[in-house]
Amino acid sequence: MNHLIRLLTTGFVGTPYLCIALSENGYHCTAEKLLLQETYPSWLYSIKKGATTIWEHWDGIKEDGSFWSDDMNSFNHYAYGAIGDWMYRYVAGLDIDEKESAYKRIRINPRMSAK
């Protein structure tokens, strides 16, 4: 899974679109593996370190327990939390039906692979 680690260098601008782009281009299973990755850098790395919010840095708390920075280290930061849109639309499969206005009709098409 080392190839997944390099994917998370997208920064604030690219992170919201990374898993969407993977899913829309035939790499949905790779996007799922990325979501479920527990090693740094990943969303589950911080959860394994006790996080209940999204951190400013993937390694806000390092493996050895030290902080990324004593001066600048937000533990409540939205940017990396941008995975939510992909989770709702592609994993849970909840999305609008573009043939209807507003939310008169929704589409339900979950895509989580059986593991």
Side-chain angles (χ1 to χ4, degrees):
M1 222 185 279
N2 284 339
H3 67 285
L4 294 179
I5 291 172
R6 285 176 266 171
L7 293 174
L8 287 173
T9 60
T10 54
F12 288 4
V13 174
T15 301
Y17 306 106
L18 177 61
C19 286
I20 292 171
L22 289 169
S23 291
E24 287 184 356
N25 290 284
Y27 296 95
H28 185 73
C29 288
T30 300
E32 289 177 333
K33 288 177 185 174
L34 185 60
L35 172 68
L36 299 174
Q37 179 173 296
E38 295 182 0
T39 56
Y40 164 82
S42 69
W43 291 277
L44 293 184
Y45 172 83
S46 56
I47 291 171
K48 287 182 69 177
K49 292 289 184 187
T52 57
T53 56
I54 300 299
W55 296 351
E56 179 178 12
H57 301 281
W58 292 116
D59 59 344
I61 298 176
K62 297 187 173 288
E63 283 291 340
D64 65 5
S66 65
F67 293 116
W68 181 87
S69 168
D70 290 332
D71 299 326
M72 188 183 88
N73 207 15
S74 169
F75 291 105
N76 192 9
H77 212 81
Y78 168 74
Y80 293 136
I83 191 75
D85 182 45
W86 173 79
M87 291 172 63
Y88 286 117
R89 291 176 49 214
Y90 292 86
V91 177
L94 303 174
D95 206 350
I96 62 171
D97 181 345
E98 293 181 4
K99 296 176 186 167
E100 295 286 335
S101 60
Y103 285 88
K104 289 185 176 183
R105 188 185 318 176
I106 62 169
R107 180 180 58 83
I108 302 173
N109 183 25
R111 294 179 60 188
M112 192 69 174
S113 300
K115 303 236 187 259

